């Protein structure tokens, strides 16, 4: 194998330490990016958080997740099950009862999510202040650009009037 080529199309190993982020962030066939896309979407995060408390039936999950459609919940659960983060247990009753629970690997992911939520709570005021400062700066820049455009228009009108 040539130096610098990947072992397989989905291989995302480092070619150099400083290129690691660019590799998993830009390659469509990269497993790391696909996994991050899957577990970091809002529905997956909510499902994982709810299942950390206890196993739940589909309808219980749907009731607890505001705004999720039946189709999206089914799709999210199917993806999480495929990735080994959620287990699905069908009980042989009439009507059939299906329970969803976090797998041990899913429980470790919830620990990470909990850390992310804690970080967000700790920094939410600083983020709100940064957003307000950004919005004020953008608004001021827009107003300044509008004033400059109005000034240019005024100068152009005066020049046209002087030429007539």
């Amino acid at each position: 194998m040539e130096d610098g080529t990947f072992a397989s199309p989905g291989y995302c190993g480092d070619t150099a330490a400083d290129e690691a982020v660019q590799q998993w962030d830009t390659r469509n066939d990269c497993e790391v990016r696909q996994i991050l896309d899957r577990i970091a979407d809002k529905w997956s995060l909510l499902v994982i958080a709810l299942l950390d408390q206890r196993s739940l039936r589909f309808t219980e999950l749907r009731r607890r997740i505001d705004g999720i459609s039946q189709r999206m919940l089914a799709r999210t659960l199917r993806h999480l099950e495929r990735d080994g983060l959620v287990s699905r247990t069908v009980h042989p009753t009439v009507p059939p009862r299906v329970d969803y629970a976090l797998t041990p690997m899913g429980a470790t992911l919830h620990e990470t999510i909990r850390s992310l939520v804690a970080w967000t709570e700790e920094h939410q005021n600083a983020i709100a202040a940064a957003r307000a400062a950004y919005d004020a700066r953008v608004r001021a820049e827009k107003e300044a650009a509008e004033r400059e455009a109005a000034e240019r228009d005024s100068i152009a009108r005066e020049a046209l009037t002087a030429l007539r």
Side-chain angles (χ1 to χ4, degrees):
M1 180 176 284
E2 224 178 284
D3 193 31
T5 52
F6 298 109
S8 68
Y11 179 73
C12 297
D14 297 337
T15 55
D18 59 343
E19 295 175 9
V21 172
Q22 286 97 359
Q23 263 188 342
W24 61 255
D25 192 37
T26 58
R27 292 188 46 175
N28 287 332
D29 60 344
C30 181
E31 288 294 321
V32 173
R33 180 170 181 168
Q34 291 173 7
I35 293 167
L36 286 172
D37 286 346
R38 173 80 40 78
I39 62 175
D41 74 70
K42 68 179 179 178
W43 302 126
S44 294
L45 291 173
L46 289 169
V47 167
I48 291 166
L50 286 170
L51 291 178
D52 184 61
Q53 299 163 9
R54 64 181 179 92
S55 67
L56 293 169
R57 295 173 72 176
F58 184 92
T59 53
E60 291 174 301
L61 280 166
R62 181 138 185 249
R63 261 195 308 271
R64 291 176 175 217
I65 301 175
D66 188 38
I68 194 167
S69 68
Q70 182 172 336
R71 180 181 176 273
M72 184 52 71
L73 179 57
R75 184 175 178 208
T76 300
L77 286 166
R78 194 169 34 256
H79 288 304
L80 292 172
E81 182 182 6
R82 181 173 183 252
D83 290 341
L85 302 171
V86 167
S87 65
R88 179 177 181 263
T89 306
V90 180
H91 299 279
T93 60
V94 177
R97 187 177 124 211
V98 181
D99 288 323
Y100 294 91
L102 284 184
T103 63
M105 184 168 56
T108 64
L109 177 58
H110 185 262
E111 293 169 15
T112 302
I113 293 168
R114 208 177 353 221
S115 297
L116 181 60
V117 170
W119 179 91
T120 304
E121 288 171 343
E122 181 181 334
H123 294 91
Q124 66 185 345
N125 292 335
I127 292 169
R131 286 177 176 174
Y134 175 88
D135 292 346
R137 187 180 78 241
V138 167
R139 195 171 31 258
E141 290 170 356
K142 182 180 177 187
E143 289 169 359
E146 288 171 353
R147 278 193 305 274
E148 289 174 16
E151 256 180 62
R152 284 192 305 272
D153 288 348
S154 175
I155 292 169
R157 269 191 237 105
E158 287 175 14
L160 284 173
T161 305
L163 288 175
R164 291 184 190 171

